[in-house]
Amino acid sequence: MSRFKDRVAVVTGGTQGLGREYVDAFHREGSRVAILDINDPSPTIAEYHGAPLVGFQVDVTDWTAVQQAIQGVIDHFGQLDVLINNAAFYEGLTFQPFDQISTHDWNRSMDVNVKGVWHVCSAVAPYMRERNYGRIINISSNVVFMGKPNFLHYVTSKGAVWALTNAMSREFSDTAITVNCIAPGYTITSATRGMGSSETVRQLEKEILQAQSIKRLIGSEDLVGAVLFLASDEAAMVTGQTITVDGGVIVG
């Protein structure tokens, strides 16, 4: 496949979980790929055996580091076309009543999940504007539309991503730059399976399946189609939109 052979895609949080799935997908589709991750991306890059990938270890909450990493992408590939804003603070969060959430978890959720998205969007915007082309895809969550209890820090941060996407799409009026959002449902990853005890996770997954119209748990590969569509030229007239991929939990 070579649908993206002339494109450069940046994936934040691309060393594991959903981010790694997006990296694999764009690589298969012929794209050159840049990974931005708080973890060292070198081992991940090495697994592609010389393919056109590059990695930068960066905390997306650090504005200067983000700017340097995006400049590094431009220096390496000469262009930047697609941004998948996937990096998020999720692993290690636990279900708690809102008045028992620690200040650390609240602040880290907002810093990574909201400020981090804004940072990377802000860093890529000048390059996309210069070429009058770009696809920005932010990752929110279907919990935004559920009012899920005991997870207020995460729900609030992902609600902000949804709102940010809508507003930002308007700021690219009169350009060929689109800004859209994916809202995944509960997806099997090491992070989701580490949210609590095995018994807690089993009960959660049972409840999720009951809520879904499609009666199987979502795997990371199930998110790829929507992301590739929004990144493609076929989606040139789609902007400011959110695609919910959750097996039918949220409808209408």
Side-chain angles (χ1 to χ4, degrees):
M1 299 288 289
S2 57
R3 183 162 41 149
F4 294 96
K5 66 181 179 66
D6 297 321
R7 304 299 186 199
V8 172
V10 173
V11 182
T12 68
T15 65
Q16 60 185 337
L18 294 176
R20 179 60 185 272
E21 197 73 41
Y22 303 144
V23 170
D24 285 345
F26 279 98
H27 170 63
R28 288 195 304 269
E29 293 277 351
S31 175
R32 290 164 287 169
V33 182
I35 299 173
L36 273 59
D37 203 295
I38 196 168
N39 299 311
D40 180 5
S42 299
T44 301
I45 299 295
E47 293 180 23
Y48 290 89
H49 306 291
L53 277 79
V54 66
F56 299 90
Q57 186 169 9
V58 57
D59 184 337
V60 294
T61 69
D62 183 335
W63 170 234
T64 300
V66 169
Q67 286 182 302
Q68 291 172 345
I70 295 302
Q71 183 61 56
V73 176
I74 298 298
D75 292 344
H76 188 83
F77 288 129
Q79 67 188 74
L80 189 160
D81 304 287
V82 178
L83 167 63
I84 312 300
N85 251 323
N86 169 75
F89 179 52
Y90 183 86
E91 189 166 7
L93 289 177
T94 57
F95 290 104
Q96 292 178 311
F98 74 90
D99 53 347
Q100 295 180 28
I101 293 172
S102 70
T103 300
H104 171 270
D105 282 359
W106 179 270
N107 289 342
R108 189 64 178 163
S109 297
M110 300 304 151
D111 283 348
V112 178
N113 300 356
V114 185
K115 185 164 70 176
V117 169
W118 170 57
H119 276 171
V120 187
C121 288
S122 299
V124 305
Y127 302 103
M128 290 185 172
R129 286 194 175 106
E130 182 179 358
R131 298 181 66 234
N132 192 36
Y133 182 89
R135 300 284 184 266
I136 296 174
I137 303 163
N138 299 321
I139 309 299
S140 181
S141 171
N142 76 334
V143 297
V144 169
F145 311 111
M146 297 168 63
K148 191 172 184 63
N150 298 320
F151 218 35
L152 189 69
H153 39 6
Y154 185 76
V155 175
T156 303
S157 68
K158 288 301 186 178
V161 171
W162 173 71
L164 175 152
T165 299
N166 295 347
M168 189 177 292
S169 71
R170 292 291 192 185
E171 296 207 33
F172 284 111
S173 293
D174 299 322
T175 75
I177 301 165
T178 65
V179 188
N180 292 291
C181 194
I182 299 292
Y186 176 90
T187 306
I188 299 173
T189 66
S190 59
T192 55
R193 291 244 158 118
M195 289 170 56
S197 67
S198 57
E199 182 179 348
T200 298
V201 172
R202 279 196 301 270
Q203 180 59 34
L204 173 63
E205 292 182 351
K206 179 180 178 180
E207 294 170 0
I208 292 291
L209 277 176
Q210 290 173 342
Q212 289 182 191
S213 296
I214 301 171
K215 300 301 182 183
R216 67 170 177 82
L217 291 174
I218 300 168
S220 55
E221 67 279 1
D222 292 311
L223 281 300
V224 166
V227 170
L228 291 178
F229 167 68
L230 291 176
S232 72
D233 289 340
E234 287 89 341
M237 291 296 289
V238 181
T239 193
Q241 304 302 309
T242 297
I243 298 178
T244 303
V245 184
D246 69 355
V249 174
I250 307 298
V251 297

